[in-house]
Amino acid sequence: MNAIEVKDVSVYYGNLCAIRDVNLNVKEKEFLGIIGPNGAGKSTLLKVILGLIKPVSGEVRIFGKDLKETNKILGYIPQTSGFDRNFPINVLDVVLMGRLKNRLSLFHRYAKEDMEIVTDLLDKLGLSDVRDRQIGQLSGGQLQRVLIARALAIEPKIILLDEPTASIDANSRSQIYSLLKELNEEMTIVVVTHDLAAVSAYFDSIACLNKELHYHGDKELDEETVEKIYGCPVELIAHGVPHRVFKVHEEGYDD
Ligand SMILES: Nc1ncnc2c1ncn2[C@@H]1O[C@H](COP(=O)(O)OP(=O)(O)O)[C@@H](O)[C@H]1O
Ligand SMILES: [Mg+2]
């Protein structure tokens, strides 16, 4: 069964074509990495899958169903670069917000069950000690885990992450990927990333997007394909930082 089916999807912002005729099937419990240069339409594709953006043409199905019937199945961890860290809210409240689902109401009271689920999640993600801290006082890795906890609080079957490791240290990065790998036993996971080393270490498959979907398949795709898609040598991917990726592990090159 496919968890996600994207069929002939095109998205425009005014005259600008962000993605064109994209077809992508993601299997249940697949761990997929989406790569592509900046401006390639990666965030747009995630937003279409979530139903936040309506495509000009094509459709998205989640477990064979129309998007309208599938809320609470998808958890979303947005790109943190657009996240307002100064917003005065603490860790516990951010994660509890995940329990609001569609019951958004001024007078919403959390049930005992909500609190239990959230307490467990904070524990599992190593956030119990910072649960009363304002989000502005967290490290990049902690904030990322808070956002993952919030997405998990809806108890989704699929989670979509947009560049979750873009601005965090190597240690938190491997912590997050190990966590995702564990979650992957139960869930379908789609991650937009420039971190090709992580893709080859943890993921099942890779998709390359540059307005059109150029490739979806085995993660060990050759450097030539990657270079064609990025339009630059593989070493220059990942924010211009030299970064070797494929088939280099045996040389003991880490990252
Ligand atoms: N809300 C928007 N309005 C207009 N143009 C947008 C909007 N969001 C993204 N774009 C444009 O669409 C293209 C794809 O953007 P995006 O999906 O964010 O790419 P990526 O995540 O791969 O960097 C870019 O050219 C970007 O400038
Ligand atoms: Mg993006």
Side-chain angles (χ1 to χ4, degrees), residues 99-155:
R99 297 297 303 166
L100 283 173
K101 300 179 183 171
N102 301 322
R103 297 177 277 146
L104 201 59
S105 143
L106 262 183
F107 306 104
H108 179 77
R109 304 262 309 263
Y110 293 106
K112 189 157 160 271
E113 188 204 1
D114 293 330
M115 190 55 95
E116 280 168 11
I117 287 170
V118 167
T119 306
D120 279 354
L121 278 171
L122 290 175
D123 194 33
K124 185 168 180 190
L125 274 79
L127 293 165
S128 300
D129 292 346
V130 296
R131 61 178 255 169
D132 297 319
R133 214 181 271 181
Q134 300 287 304
I135 53 167
Q137 296 161 357
L138 300 175
S139 70
Q142 285 169 330
L143 177 61
Q144 202 62 54
R145 278 182 280 139
V146 169
L147 296 180
I148 292 173
R150 182 184 62 171
L152 292 176
I154 68 166
E155 304 182 296

Side-chain angles (χ1 to χ4, degrees), residues 42-44 79 162-163 192:
K42 303 181 299 297
S43 298
T44 300
Q79 239 172 315
D162 201 344
E163 300 197 25
V192 167

Side-chain angles (χ1 to χ4, degrees), residues 14-250:
N15 289 329
L16 179 109
C17 176
I19 51 179
R20 182 186 296 134
D21 290 334
V22 169
N23 285 284
L24 175 69
N25 289 334
V26 185
K27 289 194 204 73
E28 186 168 14
K29 300 202 182 148
E30 184 168 336
F31 194 166
L32 169 69
I34 299 179
I35 64 166
N38 290 330
K42 303 181 299 297
S43 298
T44 300
L45 178 58
L46 290 194
K47 287 175 190 162
V48 172
I49 293 170
L50 286 156
L52 298 175
I53 295 178
K54 229 180 124 37
V56 173
S57 57
E59 63 164 352
V60 173
R61 298 188 83 76
I62 304 296
F63 289 110
K65 292 195 178 134
D66 193 86
L67 268 178
K68 286 188 215 81
E69 302 167 44
T70 57
N71 49 31
K72 292 177 237 163
I73 291 180
L74 293 151
Y76 173 47
I77 294 100
Q79 239 172 315
T80 43
S81 54
F83 194 83
D84 182 6
R85 284 242 211 176
N86 294 318
F87 195 76
I89 186 167
N90 69 26
V91 168
L92 178 65
D93 289 335
V94 170
V95 181
L96 271 170
M97 275 163 59
R99 297 297 303 166
L100 283 173
K101 300 179 183 171
N102 301 322
R103 297 177 277 146
L104 201 59
S105 143
L106 262 183
F107 306 104
H108 179 77
R109 304 262 309 263
Y110 293 106
K112 189 157 160 271
E113 188 204 1
D114 293 330
M115 190 55 95
E116 280 168 11
I117 287 170
V118 167
T119 306
D120 279 354
L121 278 171
L122 290 175
D123 194 33
K124 185 168 180 190
L125 274 79
L127 293 165
S128 300
D129 292 346
V130 296
R131 61 178 255 169
D132 297 319
R133 214 181 271 181
Q134 300 287 304
I135 53 167
Q137 296 161 357
L138 300 175
S139 70
Q142 285 169 330
L143 177 61
Q144 202 62 54
R145 278 182 280 139
V146 169
L147 296 180
I148 292 173
R150 182 184 62 171
L152 292 176
I154 68 166
E155 304 182 296
K157 291 207 171 81
I158 302 171
I159 53 175
L160 309 170
L161 301 95
D162 201 344
E163 300 197 25
T165 56
S167 52
I168 61 179
D169 60 88
N171 209 3
S172 315
R173 213 158 59 204
S174 45
Q175 217 177 18
I176 283 174
Y177 283 119
S178 308
L179 170 71
L180 293 179
K181 192 78 199 159
E182 201 184 308
L183 294 171
N184 182 230
E185 283 168 26
E186 305 287 323
M187 285 175 219
T188 308
I189 302 188
V190 178
V191 186
V192 167
T193 184
H194 291 285
D195 192 349
L196 298 182
V199 171
S200 86
Y202 296 95
F203 293 35
D204 297 326
S205 58
I206 188 169
C208 305
L209 185 73
N210 197 354
K211 194 176 292 194
E212 294 172 26
L213 196 86
H214 291 275
Y215 176 90
H216 175 208
D218 196 279
K219 62 186 177 181
E220 298 291 340
L221 83 173
D222 59 287
E223 296 191 13
E224 227 172 277
T225 311
V226 179
E227 291 187 11
K228 217 164 67 196
I229 291 154
Y230 274 87
C232 69
V234 171
E235 282 80 358
L236 298 179
I237 301 171
H239 313 293
V241 179
H243 189 103
R244 295 196 115 265
V245 276
F246 297 106
K247 305 184 208 94
V248 291
H249 297 281
E250 64 272 20

